[in-house]
Amino acid sequence: MTTHDKAVLPPAVVRAAGLLGAPDSGIDWSDLEQRDAAPQAAPAAEALPAFRTGGAFFQDVPETPPAVWGHGSDVLWAEGEALLIAAPQGVGKTTLAHQLIRARIGLQDAVLGYPVVPGRRVLLLAMDRPAQTRRAGHRIFAHDDLAYLNDRLVVWEGPPPFDLAQRTDILAAMCERAGADTVVLDSLKDAAVGLSDDAVGSGYNRARQKALAAGVQVLELHHLVKRGPNGSAPNTMADIYGSVWITSGVGSIALLWGEAGDPVVSFRHLKQPMDEAGPFQLVHDHQAGTTRVRHSADLLEMARFGGVHGLTAAAAAEAIFETKKVTAAQREKARRRLDKLVNSGQLARVEPDAPGNPARYYPAHADPHAQDPA
């Protein structure tokens, strides 16, 4: 049996005090090798999991996806669906991931103003420059209780024991071994070799889906192409590096963009389980390892300042997307946000008085026909 077939890892590869053995002991992964091969040897009928009835599958569905991160229909990370954060180097995807880890283990309530549901334990696969990841994480975790961190957070340093695209059961097995209900992969390029190849991409997606099927919430960090068309900022899923399987297999995609080390970067919610969150401008406090939203269009305030003119979906879209050339899709997204505020009783919608005129939105209980106090 070759070293690849039966890997005994070097000391200090796994940091999981009291959970996976002493930090300086090797971990024998041969049982994962056997587990990976076992289903292939079992009879087909015995290897099948239980089926679900069609009625329960299609009718027992919540109105909005249960959120790991988000609230209402603003879901940035849905239960049972992977979240991918894509960004160039040095723009803050690891910083954002560390805040999500901290919230997921119950040390903070929200990230970017959106609540995070706490889980049981997080496995961080620190595969991309783990020493740098460790320094970055020190800024946010340094003052937390050591015993609590050791109990709720497990870290794997360096590449996984097997290529996850080739050994598609290993990711779920690592989470099971760590007792983790959340896994963070930093970053995908180190999880599988050759992600631009569809065969590799589909293999990794199978590993991802097996982890999700086992009840593990998956967060992935990944890279972009250098720039969008004609040197513009990337703003589509096609701008994310690798096979289409990388983006098609996730439920949510967040894109960060800026120059390395910038304290202010842009955030776009490219793929959403429900409604789009943002776009935002994020301010990184690199010393503290925290992030906040600097700009988010306040539609209630805009409607109030609109006076007798109120607020239209087109004007709201200009503010939300920071552009004077609003697309039909952006205007529709803005209209949906305004209608949500109507449904919650915060705005009132006044239908157009003539064909071709836009609907206008006013603060609830305001008289749209009153004179503008200005």
Side-chain angles (χ1 to χ4, degrees):
M1 183 173 289
T2 67
T3 302
H4 176 79
D5 291 327
K6 182 174 181 179
V8 178
L9 302 178
V13 167
V14 177
R15 306 297 187 194
L19 183 64
L20 302 183
D24 291 330
S25 64
I27 305 295
D28 187 349
W29 288 84
S30 59
D31 62 325
L32 296 186
E33 165 86 13
Q34 295 166 5
R35 186 185 318 176
D36 191 42
Q40 300 175 14
E46 295 179 15
L48 289 174
F51 294 103
R52 294 188 64 183
T53 57
F57 182 77
F58 285 114
Q59 294 187 5
D60 186 14
V61 179
E63 184 175 347
T64 58
V68 175
W69 181 26
H71 60 78
S73 59
D74 294 328
V75 180
L76 291 101
W77 182 5
E79 286 186 14
E81 302 180 36
L83 164 64
L84 186 148
I85 300 176
Q89 293 185 24
V91 176
K93 59 183 179 294
T94 296
T95 297
L96 186 58
H98 286 167
Q99 293 168 73
L100 287 168
I101 291 171
R102 196 167 184 273
R104 190 68 176 147
I105 64 176
L107 290 175
Q108 64 185 73
D109 297 327
V111 176
L112 305 184
Y114 292 90
V116 177
V117 176
R120 184 177 66 251
R121 181 179 290 125
V122 173
L123 169 61
L124 168 62
L125 303 185
M127 300 176 288
D128 182 7
R129 297 166 295 168
Q132 182 172 325
T133 297
R134 188 179 184 187
R135 290 194 300 273
H138 177 76
R139 299 170 191 142
I140 191 171
F141 293 110
H143 302 294
D144 293 321
D145 181 77
L146 178 62
Y148 186 88
L149 283 177
N150 285 341
D151 181 59
R152 303 295 294 275
L153 177 59
V154 184
V155 179
W156 175 279
E157 295 183 56
F162 306 99
D163 187 301
L164 299 187
Q166 297 181 24
R167 303 295 304 276
T168 60
D169 283 354
I170 294 299
L171 180 60
M174 292 179 75
C175 295
E176 181 182 350
R177 171 69 69 87
D181 63 349
T182 304
V183 63
V184 178
L185 296 98
D186 185 5
S187 63
L188 287 192
K189 69 178 179 59
D190 302 285
V193 177
L195 286 174
S196 61
D197 186 284
D198 278 346
V200 175
S202 64
Y204 172 74
N205 182 55
R206 186 169 178 82
R208 165 203 282 157
Q209 301 304 328
K210 287 184 178 182
L212 292 168
V216 177
Q217 309 304 328
V218 179
L219 169 59
E220 304 165 346
L221 307 187
H222 194 36
H223 294 276
L224 299 168
V225 295
K226 292 184 178 181
R227 286 190 179 272
N230 301 318
S232 63
N235 58 9
T236 70
M237 285 187 282
D239 296 318
I240 295 173
Y241 176 77
S243 163
V244 68
W245 289 100
I246 302 303
T247 55
S248 64
V250 298
S252 190
I253 298 175
L255 186 152
L256 305 183
W257 179 252
E259 298 296 329
D262 278 355
V264 180
V265 301
S266 65
F267 174 103
R268 290 287 309 276
H269 195 191
L270 290 186
K271 186 177 183 181
Q272 316 88 26
M274 285 290 288
D275 293 344
E276 178 181 355
F280 304 127
Q281 288 183 325
L282 304 184
V283 180
H284 291 307
D285 183 338
H286 292 294
Q287 291 298 107
T290 58
T291 307
R292 63 178 176 84
V293 176
R294 186 181 80 167
H295 173 75
S296 180
D298 189 334
L299 300 183
L300 294 175
E301 193 77 354
M302 291 178 66
R304 185 172 73 84
F305 280 116
V308 296
H309 303 290
L311 176 64
T312 65
E318 287 183 6
I320 292 169
F321 297 100
E322 298 182 333
T323 179
K324 291 294 184 181
K325 297 181 179 180
V326 173
T327 66
Q330 290 171 335
R331 186 167 55 250
E332 176 62 18
K333 289 177 181 179
R335 185 194 64 76
R336 291 179 184 176
R337 293 193 191 186
L338 291 166
D339 285 341
K340 283 175 61 177
L341 293 172
V342 172
N343 293 335
S344 67
Q346 298 177 81
L347 287 180
R349 173 173 169 152
V350 176
E351 298 302 327
D353 54 5
N357 290 342
R360 295 182 181 274
Y361 296 81
Y362 298 86
H365 312 302
D367 182 358
H369 302 293
Q371 291 296 317
D372 189 346

